Amino acid sequence: MSEYSSTILDKYKQAGRPLPVISSQNMNYALKELGELVGIDEQIEIVRYRGAQRIINVYPKHKLLTIHTGRKTFATLSLERGMSAEETMSVTGHSDYKSFKRYVRITEERKKIVMNRAWGAPETII
């Protein structure tokens, strides 16, 4: 357990439960409010299709924050910081790699880092 986790658990040691309980719906509302307060307002374009009709909706990013997006972000960032897929799956509670891999988005920056680590920076040919 990390130092941060221990500090949070120590705070609630005297309570009947290790952590306060809040419903998923209320947690999602709180995340959206928090995101707005801290200025997570980048515009995100979501494209959906209804038959052949292309429908584009634009939302401020804080409107899209949920516990689920937090879980996906945690999985992606954990892999980018060097945790193995197995370790990350253990923390997130995934037992099947196929379902876990839907949570992870490999960024272009991560691809560059991994390729350079494995193969070195490309040499310039004169």
Side-chain angles (χ1 to χ4, degrees), residues 20-125:
V21 178
I22 183 172
S23 71
S24 292
Q25 185 177 17
N26 286 334
M27 176 65 84
N28 287 334
Y29 288 141
L31 281 173
K32 288 171 184 11
E33 286 181 29
L34 184 61
E36 185 175 18
L37 283 172
V38 298
I40 301 175
D41 54 6
E42 174 187 349
Q43 297 297 302
I44 302 295
E45 186 177 279
I46 305 232
V47 178
R48 291 200 171 96
Y49 291 88
R50 184 174 293 146
Q53 182 183 12
R54 187 172 190 239
I55 301 167
I56 300 171
N57 292 308
V58 179
Y59 303 95
K61 198 174 210 174
H62 66 84
K63 294 271 188 196
L64 303 174
L65 293 176
T66 64
I67 295 168
H68 192 73
T69 56
R71 186 178 190 209
K72 291 172 106 171
T73 301
F74 173 81
T76 298
L77 293 178
S78 294
L79 293 174
E80 284 191 0
R81 289 177 171 236
M83 285 179 73
S84 70
E86 292 80 13
E87 292 164 336
T88 306
M89 286 172 59
S90 174
V91 173
T92 60
H94 288 93
S95 56
D96 177 37
Y97 184 75
K98 186 177 177 181
S99 63
F100 172 72
K101 108 178 153 174
R102 292 189 320 230
Y103 275 72
V104 178
R105 184 150 300 157
I106 305 299
T107 63
E108 289 302 315
E109 185 62 29
R110 177 65 180 164
K111 289 178 193 176
K112 289 177 191 174
I113 291 168
V114 171
M115 287 298 290
N116 283 337
R117 188 180 308 141
W119 298 99
E123 294 181 24
T124 306
I125 299 175

Side-chain angles (χ1 to χ4, degrees), residues 6-18:
S6 295
T7 304
I8 292 169
L9 288 176
D10 287 342
K11 179 179 178 181
Y12 296 102
K13 220 177 217 176
Q14 303 304 322
R17 295 181 176 191

